[in-house]
Amino acid sequence: MNLFKLSQVAAVTAALLLGSAANAQTIEERTIRIGHPVNADHPISFGVKKFSDLVAARSGGKLKVREFPALQLGNEMQQLSALAGGVQEMFAPGTPPIAGMVKDFALLDLPFLVDTQEQADALLDGPFGQALLAKLPEKGLVGLAFWENGFRHVTNSKRPIKRLEDLEGLKIRVQQNPVFIETFKALKTNPVPMSFAELYGALESKALDAQENPYLITRSAKLNETQKYLSSTSHAYGVIAVLVSKKFWDKLSSDEQKILRSAAIEARDYERQVSRAQAKRAVDELTAGGMQFTPVPAAELARMRQATQGVVDRVLQTYDPAMVQLLRTELARVKALK
């Protein structure tokens, strides 16, 4: 090989080495703390572990994700505030506390918004979900993906819920959320807003008759010990938003940002699969633990939806018309999915 060719090879080799060094320098050694509200046996925790593994693999081990389940880093509002202030890197809460900062997130709490998991996925991963995430940066947050908490269902200690009238008069704990309170008033129950930490004791003492949560939360909190009847009301779909502190995000290189975003999306698909498989098993486990399961007929779900339509109409009047129109357009699209 002549000297000219040797110099060409040397130049190419040097360029490749410099490029590799530059790429390596765009990923720094970092520890990323991510909090979430549920126990380590919940699908959200499985999703976080998958996210952690993907981030580690794609960063060559430089980005390390540490999980803090069960609100170990503080309650929802404390952790959201910590993200906005840049003192915590990540949090994966349900959407109700986010609505305290970005009102439009409460649109996801509307009763009977979607009928199936496929519709929920299409709504959240499409233009409406992206429009919600686009509102977060002005509050100091960056949204990477929507994960699943699952459809919410009513349990109680009084009677099986087979039809709309069976709900009447039940004293039911609901989230401290105006949409949920109005929804259950429309269903002629007596809603009592209460923190989740107080729920088991209130059910055990019979201060309350009923509660509503995804099957997995009912199982993990052992609410079957206080409740006899489980009914598939599917009255709301619970969403988890994977959030990053904008102050932390802005410190990351584009490569690091791409790693976190792609890992959150891939972990989203995994978390949803785990959630849906575990939800099916949870019903079997709850009935094995003494609960009586009642599938609510589609015709009765339609009656419940109609009973809460006034709540939906009133709530939508208080939101940005552009977001409401986008929601209506997207719901028309996803409702065509089976």
Side-chain angles (χ1 to χ4, degrees):
M1 185 178 292
N2 61 37
L3 289 175
F4 177 71
K5 287 186 176 179
L6 282 172
S7 65
Q8 281 185 315
V9 171
V12 170
T13 302
L16 290 172
L17 289 172
L18 285 170
S20 297
N23 287 337
Q25 289 169 4
T26 63
I27 302 175
E28 298 183 14
E29 296 276 354
R30 301 182 190 274
T31 297
I32 301 168
R33 295 166 300 159
I34 179 168
H36 63 78
V38 295
N39 295 332
D41 62 349
H42 192 278
I44 296 167
S45 182
F46 282 71
V48 169
K49 291 177 176 66
K50 180 72 169 178
F51 173 74
S52 175
D53 291 343
L54 291 169
V55 168
R58 293 172 185 178
S59 67
K62 287 189 173 183
L63 300 178
K64 299 176 177 63
V65 178
R66 290 188 60 198
E67 177 188 16
F68 292 84
L71 298 177
Q72 291 177 7
L73 296 177
N75 64 34
E76 285 95 339
M77 295 313 299
Q78 287 170 334
Q79 292 196 55
L80 286 171
S81 178
L83 258 66
V87 297
Q88 181 176 323
E89 294 79 23
M90 294 187 67
F91 185 35
T95 53
I98 303 173
M101 300 175 72
V102 180
K103 179 184 175 182
D104 290 334
F105 272 77
L107 290 169
L108 295 175
D109 299 329
L110 290 171
F112 301 101
L113 192 66
V114 292
D115 303 321
T116 68
Q117 294 157 338
E118 292 75 20
Q119 291 176 8
D121 294 348
L123 180 68
L124 293 166
D125 301 341
F128 182 72
Q130 293 306 305
L132 287 178
L133 295 181
K135 292 178 175 290
L136 291 169
E138 66 185 39
K139 300 297 183 181
L141 308 171
V142 173
L144 301 184
F146 288 110
W147 292 3
E148 174 177 279
N149 204 13
F151 279 103
R152 302 179 74 89
H153 309 276
V154 171
T155 74
N156 80 101
S157 58
K158 294 288 190 181
R159 53 185 173 268
I161 306 300
K162 299 178 181 178
R163 56 196 186 116
L164 173 62
E165 288 77 9
D166 294 329
L167 289 163
E168 188 169 349
L170 289 177
K171 193 171 184 180
I172 184 170
R173 176 265 177 181
V174 298
Q175 296 182 86
Q176 294 161 311
N177 176 315
V179 174
F180 274 75
I181 294 168
E182 291 306 310
T183 293
F184 279 91
K185 284 181 179 178
L187 293 171
K188 297 187 177 179
T189 69
N190 181 10
V192 180
M194 179 184 292
S195 73
F196 186 76
E198 300 174 273
L199 175 58
Y200 189 98
L203 293 172
E204 186 178 39
S205 68
K206 305 299 182 184
L208 294 178
D209 306 314
Q211 64 93 36
E212 52 82 41
N213 261 303
Y215 294 138
L216 289 169
I217 299 294
T218 297
R219 182 198 66 181
S220 65
K222 299 182 179 180
L223 299 181
N224 59 295
E225 296 175 353
T226 68
Q227 302 276 272
K228 175 67 175 177
Y229 303 103
L230 171 65
S231 302
S232 61
T233 52
S234 301
H235 54 272
Y237 179 78
V239 181
I240 295 294
V242 180
L243 306 178
V244 185
S245 162
K246 188 175 186 301
K247 287 187 176 180
F248 173 70
W249 183 257
D250 289 344
K251 296 176 184 176
L252 301 178
S253 68
S254 61
D255 286 340
E256 291 169 327
Q257 291 177 351
K258 287 175 185 175
I259 287 171
L260 293 186
R261 193 179 297 279
S262 66
I265 291 171
E266 186 170 336
R268 172 199 71 193
D269 298 337
Y270 172 77
E271 189 269 347
R272 287 173 178 171
Q273 290 174 1
V274 172
S275 175
R276 290 159 194 181
Q278 284 199 13
K280 290 179 181 177
R281 291 198 298 271
V283 174
D284 294 335
E285 292 167 3
L286 289 167
T287 53
M291 295 193 87
Q292 179 179 317
F293 177 66
T294 303
V296 181
E300 288 301 316
L301 291 177
R303 292 183 66 215
M304 293 177 189
R305 183 183 298 108
Q306 184 58 41
T308 59
Q309 187 59 48
V311 174
V312 174
D313 294 340
R314 287 195 301 274
V315 168
L316 291 181
Q317 290 175 5
T318 68
Y319 281 80
D320 174 9
M323 284 297 289
V324 171
Q325 183 55 51
L326 179 59
L327 176 60
R328 292 188 191 280
T329 300
E330 282 297 286
L331 285 176
R333 176 180 69 86
V334 307
K335 289 295 179 76
L337 303 173
K338 301 298 182 183

